[in-house]
Amino acid sequence: MLYERRHAQRRPVATNVHIDVGGIRKQARALNLSARGVFIAGQHPELATGTLVELVFHVPVQGLIRLHRKRAVVTHATARGVGMRMAALTPASPR
């Protein structure tokens, strides 16, 4: 029997996401997403476990692209991609 650590079910997606690490922004592709986590495709050596990042998701809604901003912490990295847990935005966030 497998033990599932996730608290929220992840859904498969294929959406662009911008990852901001220390002021450097790069584009990547999210493969699955939940309210509490995301999995980003590809190898990203700059995203070590414990790294805090800012994410901007491009989500199509009725013909428009909506941007969703989230903070996340890298929880693991593999050859397939990087797993992240969503972190709370602080009220002092300049957005």
Coordinates of all heavy atoms in Angstrom, one line a residue:
M1 N 0.8 -1.2 0.0 CA 0.0 0.0 0.0 C 0.9 1.2 0.0 O 1.8 1.4 0.8 CB -0.9 0.0 1.2 CG -1.9 1.1 1.3 SD -3.2 0.9 2.5 CE -2.6 1.8 3.8
L2 N 0.6 2.2 -0.9 CA 1.3 3.4 -1.0 C 0.7 4.5 0.0 O -0.5 4.6 0.1 CB 1.3 4.0 -2.4 CG 2.0 3.1 -3.4 CD1 1.8 3.7 -4.8 CD2 3.5 3.0 -3.1
Y3 N 1.6 5.3 0.6 CA 1.2 6.4 1.4 C 1.2 7.7 0.6 O 2.2 8.0 0.0 CB 2.1 6.5 2.7 CG 1.8 7.7 3.5 CD1 0.6 7.6 4.3 CD2 2.6 8.8 3.6 CE1 0.3 8.7 5.1 CE2 2.3 9.8 4.4 CZ 1.2 9.8 5.2 OH 0.9 10.9 6.0
E4 N 0.1 8.4 0.6 CA 0.0 9.6 -0.1 C 0.2 10.8 0.8 O -0.6 11.0 1.8 CB -1.4 9.7 -0.8 CG -1.6 11.0 -1.6 CD -0.6 11.2 -2.7 OE1 -0.6 10.4 -3.6 OE2 0.1 12.2 -2.6
R5 N 1.2 11.6 0.6 CA 1.5 12.8 1.4 C 0.7 14.0 1.1 O 0.7 14.9 1.8 CB 3.0 13.1 1.4 CG 3.9 12.0 1.9 CD 5.3 12.4 1.9 NE 5.7 12.7 0.5 CZ 6.8 13.4 0.2 NH1 7.6 13.8 1.1 NH2 7.1 13.6 -1.1
R6 N 0.2 14.1 -0.1 CA -0.5 15.3 -0.5 C -1.8 15.5 0.2 O -2.5 14.5 0.5 CB -0.8 15.2 -2.0 CG 0.5 15.2 -2.9 CD 0.1 15.2 -4.3 NE 1.4 15.1 -5.1 CZ 1.6 14.3 -6.0 NH1 0.7 13.5 -6.5 NH2 2.8 14.3 -6.7
H7 N -2.1 16.7 0.5 CA -3.3 17.1 1.2 C -4.4 17.5 0.3 O -5.6 17.6 0.6 CB -3.1 18.2 2.2 CG -2.1 17.9 3.3 ND1 -2.5 17.1 4.4 CD2 -0.8 18.1 3.4 CE1 -1.5 16.9 5.2 NE2 -0.4 17.5 4.6
A8 N -4.1 17.8 -1.0 CA -5.0 18.2 -2.0 C -4.7 17.5 -3.3 O -3.5 17.3 -3.6 CB -5.0 19.7 -2.2
Q9 N -5.7 17.0 -4.0 CA -5.5 16.3 -5.2 C -5.0 17.2 -6.3 O -5.5 18.3 -6.5 CB -6.9 15.7 -5.6 CG -6.7 14.8 -6.9 CD -8.1 14.2 -7.3 OE1 -9.1 14.5 -6.7 NE2 -8.0 13.4 -8.3
R10 N -3.9 16.7 -6.9 CA -3.4 17.4 -8.1 C -4.1 17.0 -9.3 O -4.5 15.9 -9.5 CB -1.9 17.1 -8.2 CG -1.1 17.7 -7.0 CD 0.3 18.0 -7.4 NE 1.0 18.5 -6.2 CZ 2.3 18.6 -6.2 NH1 3.0 18.3 -7.2 NH2 2.9 19.1 -5.1
R11 N -4.2 18.0 -10.2 CA -4.9 17.8 -11.5 C -3.8 18.0 -12.6 O -3.0 18.9 -12.5 CB -6.0 18.9 -11.7 CG -7.0 18.8 -10.6 CD -8.1 17.9 -11.0 NE -9.2 17.9 -10.0 CZ -9.9 17.0 -9.7 NH1 -9.8 15.8 -10.3 NH2 -10.9 17.1 -8.8
P12 N -3.9 17.2 -13.6 CA -3.0 17.4 -14.8 C -3.3 18.8 -15.4 O -4.5 19.1 -15.6 CB -3.2 16.3 -15.7 CG -4.4 15.6 -15.2 CD -4.8 16.1 -13.8
V13 N -2.3 19.5 -15.8 CA -2.4 20.8 -16.5 C -1.2 20.8 -17.5 O -0.3 20.1 -17.5 CB -2.3 22.0 -15.6 CG1 -3.5 22.0 -14.6 CG2 -1.0 22.1 -14.9
A14 N -1.3 21.8 -18.4 CA -0.2 22.1 -19.3 C -0.3 23.6 -19.5 O -0.9 24.1 -20.5 CB -0.4 21.3 -20.6
T15 N 0.3 24.3 -18.6 CA 0.2 25.8 -18.6 C 1.6 26.4 -18.4 O 2.4 25.8 -17.7 CB -0.8 26.3 -17.6 OG1 -1.1 27.7 -17.8 CG2 -0.4 26.1 -16.2
N16 N 1.8 27.5 -18.9 CA 3.0 28.2 -18.7 C 3.0 28.9 -17.3 O 2.0 29.3 -16.8 CB 3.2 29.4 -19.8 CG 3.4 28.8 -21.2 OD1 4.0 27.7 -21.3 ND2 3.0 29.5 -22.2
V17 N 4.2 28.9 -16.8 CA 4.4 29.5 -15.5 C 5.8 30.2 -15.5 O 6.8 29.7 -16.1 CB 4.4 28.5 -14.3 CG1 5.4 27.4 -14.5 CG2 4.5 29.1 -13.0
H18 N 5.8 31.4 -15.0 CA 7.1 32.2 -14.8 C 7.5 31.9 -13.4 O 6.8 32.0 -12.4 CB 6.9 33.7 -15.0 CG 6.6 34.0 -16.5 ND1 7.7 34.1 -17.4 CD2 5.5 34.2 -17.2 CE1 7.2 34.4 -18.6 NE2 5.8 34.4 -18.5
I19 N 8.8 31.6 -13.2 CA 9.4 31.4 -11.9 C 10.4 32.5 -11.7 O 11.3 32.7 -12.5 CB 10.2 30.0 -11.9 CG1 9.2 28.9 -12.3 CG2 10.8 29.7 -10.5 CD1 9.9 27.6 -12.6
D20 N 10.2 33.2 -10.6 CA 11.1 34.2 -10.2 C 11.9 33.8 -9.0 O 11.4 33.5 -7.9 CB 10.3 35.5 -9.8 CG 11.2 36.7 -9.6 OD1 12.3 36.6 -9.0 OD2 10.8 37.8 -10.0
V21 N 13.3 33.7 -9.2 CA 14.2 33.3 -8.1 C 15.2 34.4 -7.9 O 16.0 34.6 -8.8 CB 14.9 32.0 -8.5 CG1 15.8 31.5 -7.3 CG2 14.0 30.9 -8.9
G22 N 15.1 35.1 -6.8 CA 16.1 36.2 -6.5 C 16.1 37.2 -7.6 O 17.2 37.7 -7.9
G23 N 15.0 37.6 -8.2 CA 15.0 38.6 -9.2 C 15.2 38.1 -10.6 O 15.1 38.9 -11.6
I24 N 15.6 36.9 -10.8 CA 15.8 36.3 -12.1 C 14.5 35.5 -12.5 O 14.1 34.6 -11.7 CB 17.0 35.4 -12.1 CG1 18.3 36.2 -11.8 CG2 17.2 34.7 -13.5 CD1 19.5 35.4 -11.6
R25 N 13.9 35.8 -13.6 CA 12.7 35.2 -14.0 C 13.0 34.3 -15.2 O 13.7 34.6 -16.1 CB 11.7 36.2 -14.4 CG 10.3 35.6 -14.8 CD 9.3 36.6 -15.0 NE 8.7 37.0 -13.7 CZ 7.7 37.8 -13.6 NH1 7.1 38.3 -14.6 NH2 7.3 38.1 -12.4
K26 N 12.4 33.1 -15.2 CA 12.5 32.1 -16.3 C 11.1 31.5 -16.5 O 10.3 31.5 -15.6 CB 13.5 31.1 -16.1 CG 13.2 30.1 -14.9 CD 14.3 29.2 -14.7 CE 14.5 28.1 -15.8 NZ 15.5 27.1 -15.5
Q27 N 10.8 31.1 -17.8 CA 9.6 30.5 -18.1 C 9.7 29.0 -18.0 O 10.7 28.4 -18.4 CB 9.1 30.9 -19.5 CG 7.7 30.4 -19.8 CD 7.2 31.0 -21.1 OE1 7.6 32.1 -21.5 NE2 6.3 30.3 -21.7
A28 N 8.7 28.3 -17.6 CA 8.6 26.8 -17.5 C 7.2 26.4 -17.8 O 6.3 27.1 -18.1 CB 9.1 26.4 -16.1
R29 N 7.0 25.1 -17.7 CA 5.7 24.4 -17.9 C 5.3 23.7 -16.7 O 6.0 22.8 -16.2 CB 5.9 23.5 -19.1 CG 4.6 23.1 -19.8 CD 4.1 24.1 -20.7 NE 3.0 23.6 -21.5 CZ 2.1 24.3 -22.0 NH1 2.1 25.6 -21.8 NH2 1.1 23.8 -22.7
A30 N 4.1 24.0 -16.2 CA 3.5 23.2 -15.1 C 2.8 22.0 -15.6 O 2.1 22.1 -16.6 CB 2.5 24.1 -14.3
L31 N 3.1 20.8 -15.0 CA 2.4 19.6 -15.5 C 1.3 19.2 -14.6 O 0.4 18.5 -15.1 CB 3.5 18.4 -15.5 CG 4.6 18.6 -16.5 CD1 5.5 17.3 -16.4 CD2 4.1 18.8 -17.9
N32 N 1.3 19.5 -13.3 CA 0.1 19.3 -12.5 C 0.1 20.3 -11.4 O 1.1 20.9 -11.1 CB 0.1 17.8 -11.9 CG 1.2 17.5 -11.0 OD1 1.5 18.2 -10.1 ND2 1.8 16.3 -11.1
L33 N -1.1 20.5 -10.9 CA -1.4 21.6 -10.0 C -2.5 21.3 -9.0 O -3.4 20.6 -9.4 CB -1.8 22.8 -10.9 CG -2.1 24.2 -10.2 CD1 -0.9 24.7 -9.5 CD2 -2.7 25.1 -11.3
S34 N -2.3 21.8 -7.8 CA -3.4 21.7 -6.8 C -3.4 23.0 -6.0 O -2.5 23.9 -6.2 CB -3.2 20.5 -5.8 OG -2.2 20.8 -4.9
A35 N -4.3 23.1 -5.0 CA -4.3 24.3 -4.2 C -3.0 24.4 -3.3 O -2.6 25.5 -2.9 CB -5.5 24.2 -3.3
R36 N -2.3 23.3 -3.1 CA -1.2 23.3 -2.2 C 0.2 23.0 -2.9 O 1.2 22.9 -2.2 CB -1.4 22.3 -1.1 CG -2.5 22.8 -0.2 CD -2.5 21.9 1.0 NE -3.5 22.4 2.0 CZ -3.6 21.8 3.2 NH1 -2.9 20.8 3.5 NH2 -4.5 22.3 4.0
G37 N 0.2 22.7 -4.2 CA 1.4 22.3 -4.8 C 1.4 22.3 -6.3 O 0.3 22.4 -6.9
V38 N 2.6 22.2 -6.9 CA 2.7 22.2 -8.3 C 3.9 21.4 -8.7 O 4.9 21.3 -7.9 CB 2.8 23.7 -8.9 CG1 4.1 24.4 -8.3 CG2 2.8 23.8 -10.4
F39 N 3.9 20.8 -9.9 CA 5.1 20.1 -10.4 C 5.4 20.8 -11.8 O 4.6 20.9 -12.7 CB 4.8 18.6 -10.7 CG 6.0 17.8 -11.0 CD1 6.9 17.5 -10.1 CD2 6.3 17.5 -12.4 CE1 8.0 16.7 -10.4 CE2 7.4 16.8 -12.7 CZ 8.3 16.4 -11.7
I40 N 6.7 21.2 -11.8 CA 7.2 22.0 -13.0 C 8.1 21.0 -13.8 O 9.0 20.4 -13.2 CB 8.0 23.2 -12.5 CG1 7.2 24.1 -11.6 CG2 8.6 23.9 -13.7 CD1 6.1 24.8 -12.2
A41 N 7.9 21.0 -15.1 CA 8.6 20.1 -16.0 C 10.1 20.6 -16.2 O 10.3 21.8 -16.2 CB 7.9 19.9 -17.3
G42 N 11.0 19.6 -16.4 CA 12.4 19.9 -16.7 C 13.3 20.0 -15.6 O 12.9 20.1 -14.4
Q43 N 14.6 20.1 -15.9 CA 15.6 20.2 -14.9 C 15.9 21.7 -14.7 O 16.0 22.5 -15.6 CB 16.9 19.5 -15.3 CG 16.7 18.0 -15.4 CD 17.9 17.3 -15.8 OE1 18.9 17.9 -16.2 NE2 17.9 16.0 -15.7
H44 N 16.0 22.1 -13.4 CA 16.2 23.5 -13.0 C 17.2 23.5 -11.9 O 16.8 23.5 -10.7 CB 14.9 24.1 -12.6 CG 13.8 24.1 -13.6 ND1 13.7 25.0 -14.6 CD2 12.8 23.2 -13.8 CE1 12.7 24.7 -15.4 NE2 12.1 23.6 -14.9
P45 N 18.5 23.4 -12.2 CA 19.5 23.3 -11.2 C 19.5 24.5 -10.2 O 20.0 24.3 -9.1 CB 20.8 23.3 -12.0 CG 20.5 23.6 -13.4 CD 19.0 23.5 -13.6
E46 N 19.0 25.6 -10.5 CA 19.0 26.8 -9.6 C 17.9 26.6 -8.6 O 17.8 27.4 -7.6 CB 18.8 28.1 -10.4 CG 17.4 28.2 -11.0 CD 17.1 27.5 -12.3 OE1 18.0 26.7 -12.7 OE2 16.1 27.6 -12.8
L47 N 17.0 25.6 -8.7 CA 15.9 25.4 -7.8 C 16.2 24.3 -6.8 O 15.7 23.2 -6.9 CB 14.6 25.1 -8.5 CG 14.1 26.2 -9.4 CD1 12.9 25.8 -10.2 CD2 13.9 27.5 -8.7
A48 N 17.1 24.5 -5.8 CA 17.4 23.5 -4.8 C 16.3 23.4 -3.8 O 15.5 24.3 -3.6 CB 18.7 24.0 -4.1
T49 N 16.2 22.2 -3.2 CA 15.2 22.0 -2.1 C 15.3 23.1 -1.1 O 16.4 23.5 -0.6 CB 15.5 20.6 -1.5 OG1 15.3 19.6 -2.5 CG2 14.5 20.4 -0.4
G50 N 14.2 23.7 -0.7 CA 14.1 24.8 0.3 C 14.1 26.2 -0.3 O 13.9 27.1 0.4
T51 N 14.3 26.3 -1.6 CA 14.4 27.6 -2.3 C 12.9 28.2 -2.3 O 12.0 27.5 -2.7 CB 14.9 27.5 -3.7 OG1 16.2 26.9 -3.6 CG2 15.0 28.8 -4.4
L52 N 12.8 29.4 -1.9 CA 11.5 30.1 -2.0 C 11.5 30.8 -3.4 O 12.4 31.5 -3.8 CB 11.4 31.2 -0.9 CG 10.1 32.0 -0.9 CD1 8.9 31.1 -0.6 CD2 10.2 33.1 0.2
V53 N 10.4 30.6 -4.1 CA 10.2 31.2 -5.4 C 8.9 31.9 -5.5 O 8.0 31.7 -4.7 CB 10.3 30.1 -6.5 CG1 11.6 29.4 -6.5 CG2 9.2 29.2 -6.5
E54 N 8.8 32.8 -6.5 CA 7.5 33.4 -6.8 C 7.1 32.9 -8.2 O 7.9 32.8 -9.1 CB 7.6 35.0 -6.9 CG 8.0 35.5 -5.5 CD 7.2 36.7 -5.1 OE1 6.2 37.0 -5.7 OE2 7.6 37.3 -4.1
L55 N 5.8 32.5 -8.3 CA 5.3 31.9 -9.5 C 4.2 32.8 -10.1 O 3.4 33.3 -9.3 CB 4.7 30.5 -9.2 CG 5.6 29.5 -8.5 CD1 4.8 28.2 -8.1 CD2 6.7 29.1 -9.4
V56 N 4.1 32.9 -11.4 CA 3.0 33.6 -12.1 C 2.5 32.6 -13.1 O 3.2 32.2 -14.0 CB 3.5 34.9 -12.7 CG1 2.3 35.5 -13.5 CG2 4.1 35.8 -11.7
F57 N 1.3 32.1 -12.9 CA 0.6 31.2 -13.8 C -0.2 31.9 -14.8 O -0.9 32.9 -14.5 CB -0.3 30.2 -13.0 CG 0.4 29.3 -12.0 CD1 0.5 29.7 -10.7 CD2 0.9 28.1 -12.5 CE1 1.2 28.8 -9.8 CE2 1.5 27.3 -11.6 CZ 1.7 27.6 -10.3
H58 N -0.2 31.4 -16.0 CA -1.0 31.9 -17.1 C -2.2 30.9 -17.2 O -2.0 29.8 -17.7 CB -0.3 31.9 -18.4 CG 0.9 32.7 -18.4 ND1 1.3 33.5 -19.5 CD2 1.8 33.0 -17.5 CE1 2.4 34.1 -19.3 NE2 2.7 33.9 -18.0
V59 N -3.4 31.3 -16.8 CA -4.6 30.5 -16.8 C -5.6 31.0 -17.8 O -6.1 32.1 -17.6 CB -5.2 30.4 -15.4 CG1 -6.4 29.4 -15.4 CG2 -4.1 29.9 -14.4
P60 N -5.9 30.2 -18.9 CA -7.0 30.7 -19.8 C -8.4 30.5 -19.2 O -8.7 29.5 -18.7 CB -6.8 29.8 -21.0 CG -6.0 28.6 -20.5 CD -5.3 29.0 -19.3
V61 N -9.1 31.6 -19.2 CA -10.5 31.6 -18.7 C -11.4 32.3 -19.8 O -11.2 33.5 -20.0 CB -10.6 32.3 -17.4 CG1 -12.1 32.3 -16.9 CG2 -9.7 31.6 -16.3
Q62 N -12.3 31.6 -20.4 CA -13.2 32.2 -21.4 C -12.5 33.1 -22.4 O -13.0 34.2 -22.6 CB -14.3 32.9 -20.7 CG -15.2 32.0 -19.8 CD -16.3 32.7 -19.0 OE1 -16.3 33.9 -19.0 NE2 -17.1 32.0 -18.4
G63 N -11.5 32.6 -23.0 CA -10.8 33.4 -24.0 C -9.8 34.4 -23.5 O -9.2 35.1 -24.3
L64 N -9.7 34.6 -22.2 CA -8.8 35.6 -21.7 C -7.7 34.8 -20.9 O -7.9 33.7 -20.5 CB -9.5 36.5 -20.7 CG -10.6 37.4 -21.3 CD1 -11.3 38.1 -20.2 CD2 -10.0 38.3 -22.3
I65 N -6.5 35.5 -20.8 CA -5.5 34.9 -20.0 C -5.4 35.6 -18.6 O -5.3 36.8 -18.6 CB -4.1 35.0 -20.6 CG1 -4.1 34.3 -22.0 CG2 -3.0 34.5 -19.7 CD1 -4.2 32.8 -21.9
R66 N -5.7 34.9 -17.5 CA -5.6 35.4 -16.2 C -4.3 35.1 -15.6 O -3.8 33.9 -15.8 CB -6.7 34.9 -15.3 CG -8.1 35.3 -15.9 CD -9.2 35.1 -15.0 NE -8.9 35.9 -13.8 CZ -9.8 36.0 -12.8 NH1 -10.9 35.4 -12.8 NH2 -9.5 36.7 -11.7
L67 N -3.7 36.0 -14.8 CA -2.4 35.7 -14.2 C -2.7 35.5 -12.7 O -3.4 36.2 -12.0 CB -1.5 36.9 -14.3 CG -1.1 37.3 -15.7 CD1 -0.2 38.5 -15.8 CD2 -0.5 36.1 -16.5
H68 N -2.1 34.4 -12.2 CA -2.3 34.1 -10.7 C -0.9 34.0 -10.2 O 0.0 33.3 -10.6 CB -2.9 32.7 -10.6 CG -4.3 32.7 -11.0 ND1 -5.4 33.0 -10.1 CD2 -4.9 32.4 -12.1 CE1 -6.5 33.0 -10.8 NE2 -6.3 32.6 -12.0
R69 N -0.6 34.8 -9.1 CA 0.6 34.9 -8.4 C 0.6 34.1 -7.1 O -0.3 34.2 -6.3 CB 1.0 36.3 -8.1 CG 1.1 37.2 -9.3 CD 1.4 38.6 -9.0 NE 1.2 39.5 -10.1 CZ 2.1 39.7 -11.0 NH1 3.3 39.1 -10.9 NH2 1.9 40.5 -12.0
K70 N 1.7 33.3 -7.0 CA 1.8 32.4 -5.8 C 3.3 32.4 -5.3 O 4.2 32.5 -6.2 CB 1.3 31.0 -6.0 CG -0.1 30.8 -6.5 CD -1.0 31.0 -5.3 CE -2.5 30.8 -5.7 NZ -3.4 31.1 -4.6
R71 N 3.5 32.2 -4.1 CA 4.8 31.8 -3.6 C 4.8 30.4 -3.3 O 3.8 29.8 -2.9 CB 5.1 32.6 -2.3 CG 5.5 34.0 -2.5 CD 6.2 34.5 -1.3 NE 6.6 35.9 -1.6 CZ 6.6 36.9 -0.7 NH1 6.2 36.6 0.5 NH2 7.0 38.1 -1.0
A72 N 6.0 29.8 -3.5 CA 6.2 28.3 -3.3 C 7.6 28.0 -2.8 O 8.5 28.8 -3.0 CB 5.9 27.6 -4.6
V73 N 7.7 26.9 -2.2 CA 9.0 26.4 -1.7 C 9.3 25.1 -2.4 O 8.4 24.2 -2.5 CB 8.9 26.1 -0.2 CG1 10.2 25.5 0.3 CG2 8.6 27.4 0.6
V74 N 10.5 24.9 -3.0 CA 10.9 23.7 -3.6 C 11.0 22.6 -2.6 O 11.7 22.7 -1.6 CB 12.2 23.9 -4.4 CG1 12.7 22.6 -5.0 CG2 12.1 25.0 -5.4
T75 N 10.3 21.5 -2.9 CA 10.3 20.3 -2.0 C 11.2 19.2 -2.5 O 11.7 18.4 -1.7 CB 8.9 19.8 -1.7 OG1 8.3 19.4 -2.9 CG2 8.0 20.8 -1.0
H76 N 11.2 19.1 -3.8 CA 12.1 18.0 -4.4 C 12.4 18.3 -5.9 O 11.6 19.0 -6.5 CB 11.5 16.6 -4.2 CG 10.2 16.4 -5.0 ND1 9.0 16.9 -4.6 CD2 10.0 15.8 -6.2 CE1 8.1 16.6 -5.5 NE2 8.7 15.9 -6.5
A77 N 13.5 17.7 -6.4 CA 13.8 17.9 -7.8 C 14.3 16.5 -8.3 O 15.0 15.8 -7.6 CB 15.0 18.9 -7.9
T78 N 13.8 16.2 -9.5 CA 14.2 14.9 -10.1 C 14.6 15.2 -11.6 O 14.5 16.4 -12.0 CB 13.0 13.9 -10.2 OG1 12.0 14.4 -11.0 CG2 12.4 13.7 -8.8
A79 N 15.0 14.2 -12.3 CA 15.3 14.4 -13.7 C 14.0 14.8 -14.5 O 14.2 15.5 -15.5 CB 15.8 13.1 -14.3
R80 N 12.8 14.5 -14.1 CA 11.6 14.9 -14.7 C 11.2 16.3 -14.5 O 10.5 16.9 -15.3 CB 10.4 14.0 -14.3 CG 10.4 12.6 -14.9 CD 9.1 11.8 -14.7 NE 8.0 12.6 -15.1 CZ 6.9 12.9 -14.3 NH1 6.9 12.5 -13.1 NH2 5.9 13.6 -14.8
G81 N 11.5 16.8 -13.2 CA 11.1 18.2 -12.9 C 11.2 18.5 -11.4 O 11.9 17.8 -10.7
V82 N 10.5 19.5 -11.0 CA 10.6 20.1 -9.7 C 9.2 20.2 -9.0 O 8.3 20.7 -9.6 CB 11.2 21.5 -9.7 CG1 11.4 22.1 -8.3 CG2 12.6 21.5 -10.4
G83 N 9.1 19.6 -7.8 CA 7.9 19.7 -7.0 C 8.0 20.9 -6.0 O 9.1 21.1 -5.5
M84 N 6.9 21.6 -5.9 CA 6.9 22.7 -5.0 C 5.6 22.7 -4.2 O 4.5 22.3 -4.6 CB 6.9 24.0 -5.8 CG 8.1 24.2 -6.7 SD 8.0 25.8 -7.5 CE 9.4 25.5 -8.7
R85 N 5.7 23.2 -2.9 CA 4.6 23.4 -2.0 C 4.3 24.9 -2.0 O 5.1 25.7 -1.8 CB 4.9 22.9 -0.6 CG 3.8 23.1 0.4 CD 4.2 22.6 1.8 NE 5.6 22.8 2.1 CZ 6.1 24.0 2.7 NH1 5.3 25.0 2.9 NH2 7.3 24.1 3.0
M86 N 3.0 25.2 -2.1 CA 2.6 26.6 -2.1 C 2.8 27.2 -0.7 O 2.6 26.5 0.3 CB 1.1 26.8 -2.5 CG 0.8 26.3 -3.9 SD 1.7 27.2 -5.2 CE 0.9 26.4 -6.6
A87 N 3.2 28.4 -0.6 CA 3.4 29.1 0.6 C 2.5 30.3 0.6 O 2.1 30.8 -0.4 CB 4.9 29.6 0.7
A88 N 2.2 30.8 1.8 CA 1.3 32.0 2.0 C 2.0 33.2 1.5 O 3.1 33.5 1.7 CB 0.9 32.1 3.4
L89 N 1.2 34.1 0.8 CA 1.7 35.4 0.5 C 1.5 36.3 1.7 O 0.6 36.2 2.4 CB 0.8 36.1 -0.6 CG 1.0 35.5 -2.0 CD1 0.0 36.1 -3.0 CD2 2.4 35.8 -2.5
T90 N 2.6 37.1 2.0 CA 2.5 37.9 3.1 C 1.7 39.2 2.8 O 1.8 39.7 1.7 CB 3.9 38.3 3.6 OG1 4.6 39.0 2.6 CG2 4.7 37.1 4.0
P91 N 1.1 39.8 3.8 CA 0.3 41.1 3.5 C 1.2 42.2 3.0 O 0.7 43.1 2.3 CB -0.2 41.5 4.9 CG -0.2 40.2 5.7 CD 0.9 39.4 5.1
A92 N 2.5 42.1 3.3 CA 3.4 43.2 2.8 C 3.9 43.0 1.4 O 4.7 43.7 0.9 CB 4.6 43.3 3.8
S93 N 3.5 42.0 0.7 CA 3.9 41.7 -0.7 C 3.6 42.9 -1.6 O 2.4 43.3 -1.6 CB 3.2 40.4 -1.2 OG 3.7 39.3 -0.5
P94 N 4.6 43.4 -2.3 CA 4.3 44.5 -3.2 C 3.7 44.1 -4.5 O 4.3 44.0 -5.6 CB 5.7 45.1 -3.4 CG 6.6 43.9 -3.3 CD 5.9 43.0 -2.3
R95 N 2.4 43.8 -4.5 CA 1.7 43.4 -5.7 C 0.4 44.1 -5.8 O -0.4 44.3 -5.1 CB 1.4 41.9 -5.7 CG 2.6 41.0 -5.6 CD 3.1 40.8 -7.1 NE 4.3 39.9 -7.0 CZ 5.4 40.1 -7.6 NH1 5.5 41.2 -8.4 NH2 6.4 39.3 -7.6

